[in-house]
Amino acid sequence: MKFAFDTALKNVKRKPFRSCIMAVLTLLLSLAVFAGAFTVMSLRRGLSDYRARLGADIIVVPSSAKGHGTVNDILLQGITGNYYMSGKEIEKIRSVEGIGEITTQFFLTSAKASCCSTRVQIIGFDPETDFSILPWIGESYQATISDGDIIAGSSINVPSDRTITFYGQNYRVAAQLAETGTGLDSAVYTNMNTIRQMAESASNLLETDPFRDVNIRTAASAVLIRVAGGYSIEDVADDINIHITKVQATPAKSMVSEISEGLNGVSRIIGLLVGAVWVLALIVLIAVYALVSNERRKEFAILRIMGASRKMLFRIMSAEAALIGAIGAILGLAIGLLLTTLLSGRLQSVLNLPFSTPGWQSVLGLALGAFAVSVIAGIVTALLSAWRITKSETGLLLREDG
């Protein structure tokens, strides 16, 4: 085996251009497999996190929120905006039959903040009734969220003094949340007392008061509902839409289903692209190995005369393919890791789907799988070419080259 490996290593060094061509083809194989699998896994993980993040059966927003996109756009991308339903409308929603749990959220768009180069969505929630945000916050912060404290999304750049200024007031960053793969990673969270204080400060500082017709103390931007047992989610949502004006109730199940359909469509496209790259790279790899094997017919014949068995020739070709494949696969994985790291945020924005990057254990598993598949593909291709050549008689090989 050592002879086969040493011979293979000398052959790789003796023909650097040929070796580079084969390594590049293996690079494409590993890059396509890793990047495709990474993207699909991130999308599926993002959908799972999004489903857990919602925690509600029904989301109710004011009809004026339509100008800011769909409910999915608001929740997935954290689209900034100030839109509110009155306390009277919220009380009507509370009285709808079939509601088990209910909580409210208050949205406020900051002006250009000290922490960010763009506007930040601030989301206020009621810790006494919340079942959507608190479980997520609990992964990073278990203490009570005091008045004046804020929780930053994973994409927020938190200053070293852990203080962020909104509308002339300083707020302490108590914790930073885990990534969700949505635009809400760029949002800030706080309790209702704090966000209503922010809203009052904004009302005094902004030239155009967004709260001119709003009672800050009772209004809300969204109502999240868990339906009581024995009631249909769709029926409760329809009841709200029919009997309460100026609001839009959307079952969370339909939102997740819509996202899932989009994810399946994207997964199919990625699969087709990966398949196309694989087929093209394999065809070229087979052609290159066939040409190389034809050029090496005399070399193989001489080795056979010197006593090398067909098995030994196969070992040499396997070792060459493994060496070249390993180099190409490692380079492909390095490029894949770099691209997925740099472009993950851009992908989430372009696809408009939850995108949550997997942990290092999953990434390592993907990398090892892509490495193995790419190297094995190169070895099998090389062996097929070697078999085609070595099945001829040694004398015929020498006469053909003579």
Side-chain angles (χ1 to χ4, degrees):
M1 191 65 190
K2 186 177 185 302
F3 172 77
F5 181 82
D6 290 342
T7 305
L9 185 59
K10 290 176 183 177
N11 287 337
V12 171
K13 291 179 179 178
R14 188 165 52 89
K15 296 287 187 179
F17 180 74
R18 181 182 72 194
S19 301
C20 285
I21 294 295
M22 294 177 178
V24 168
L25 292 171
T26 312
L27 181 154
L28 290 175
L29 292 176
S30 64
L31 175 60
V33 172
F34 177 79
F38 180 92
T39 303
V40 172
M41 180 178 285
S42 296
L43 288 169
R44 296 198 179 282
R45 188 169 183 266
L47 178 62
S48 177
D49 289 349
Y50 177 70
R51 185 185 288 112
R53 160 73 180 82
L54 277 177
D57 296 321
I58 299 172
I59 315 292
V60 185
V61 295
S63 300
S64 57
K66 288 182 179 179
H68 301 270
T70 65
V71 177
N72 267 337
D73 292 331
I74 294 166
L75 294 174
L76 280 176
Q77 299 193 44
I79 292 176
T80 56
N82 300 318
Y83 36 86
Y84 308 97
M85 63 188 86
S86 68
K88 185 183 295 186
E89 289 160 346
I90 295 169
E91 288 307 312
K92 288 181 180 178
I93 295 171
R94 291 182 189 278
S95 66
V96 171
E97 186 179 357
I99 291 180
E101 296 179 66
I102 187 168
T103 189
T104 58
Q105 294 181 358
F106 190 105
F107 300 164
L108 173 63
T109 302
S110 76
K112 186 175 180 181
S114 59
C115 66
C116 309
S117 58
T118 58
R119 295 190 304 171
V120 177
Q121 182 77 28
I122 308 168
I123 299 176
F125 65 97
D126 184 357
E128 297 295 325
T129 60
D130 180 79
F131 49 78
S132 175
I133 294 177
L134 270 182
W136 175 35
I137 290 178
E139 297 174 9
S140 308
Y141 185 71
Q142 288 78 39
T144 302
I145 301 171
S146 304
D147 292 350
D149 285 352
I150 60 175
I151 309 292
S154 63
S155 298
I156 297 292
N157 180 25
V158 179
S160 57
D161 64 357
R162 302 191 69 80
T163 299
I164 297 179
T165 302
F166 292 122
Y167 299 111
Q169 302 293 322
N170 292 329
Y171 298 92
R172 183 180 75 92
V173 178
Q176 193 154 20
L177 297 172
E179 180 189 16
T180 66
T182 72
L184 293 178
D185 290 333
S186 300
V188 167
Y189 303 83
T190 189
N191 63 29
M192 280 295 190
N193 288 336
T194 303
I195 200 166
R196 295 191 197 283
Q197 176 191 333
M198 290 181 184
E200 288 173 354
S201 298
S203 181
N204 294 328
L205 291 176
L206 295 176
E207 292 182 8
T208 304
D209 184 4
F211 308 105
R212 185 176 57 253
D213 302 318
V214 176
N215 183 339
I216 294 173
R217 308 312 301 178
T218 59
S221 301
V223 175
L224 280 67
I225 297 169
R226 278 181 173 171
V227 173
Y231 288 87
S232 163
I233 294 172
E234 289 73 16
D235 288 346
V236 174
D238 289 342
D239 196 359
I240 293 170
N241 286 326
I242 293 169
H243 297 104
I244 304 174
T245 59
K246 300 181 181 178
V247 301
Q248 173 194 354
T250 305
K253 184 168 60 177
S254 66
M255 294 160 55
V256 172
S257 176
E258 180 184 330
I259 295 172
S260 183
E261 289 176 8
L263 186 150
N264 289 334
V266 170
S267 298
R268 282 193 292 271
I269 293 172
I270 292 172
L272 288 173
L273 290 174
V274 170
V277 171
W278 250 78
V279 169
L280 181 61
L282 274 177
I283 289 172
V284 176
L285 196 62
I286 290 169
V288 170
Y289 269 114
L291 289 172
V292 168
S293 297
N294 283 328
E295 290 177 0
R296 299 174 67 181
R297 293 165 74 92
K298 188 172 183 178
E299 175 189 335
F300 288 169
I302 292 172
L303 286 171
R304 292 280 285 134
I305 291 172
M306 292 173 63
S309 63
R310 286 190 174 91
K311 191 174 182 180
M312 177 58 70
L313 294 181
F314 286 155
R315 284 179 178 175
I316 293 172
M317 288 293 288
S318 297
E320 281 186 40
L323 279 170
I324 294 170
I327 293 169
I330 289 171
L331 290 174
L333 292 173
I335 294 171
L337 280 169
L338 179 63
L339 289 177
T340 51
T341 300
L342 294 177
L343 300 179
S344 290
R346 181 62 180 165
L347 272 172
Q348 192 275 323
S349 177
V350 170
L351 297 175
N352 192 22
L353 290 169
F355 194 96
S356 182
T357 54
W360 68 266
Q361 298 98 328
S362 298
V363 172
L364 179 61
L366 286 178
L368 291 175
F371 178 87
V373 168
S374 303
V375 172
I376 290 171
I379 293 173
V380 170
T381 304
L383 289 178
L384 287 173
S385 298
W387 176 80
R388 188 174 60 85
I389 297 300
T390 57
K391 69 179 182 179
S392 303
E393 290 296 330
T394 304
L396 287 175
L397 291 176
L398 288 172
R399 282 198 295 274
E400 288 175 12
D401 288 297

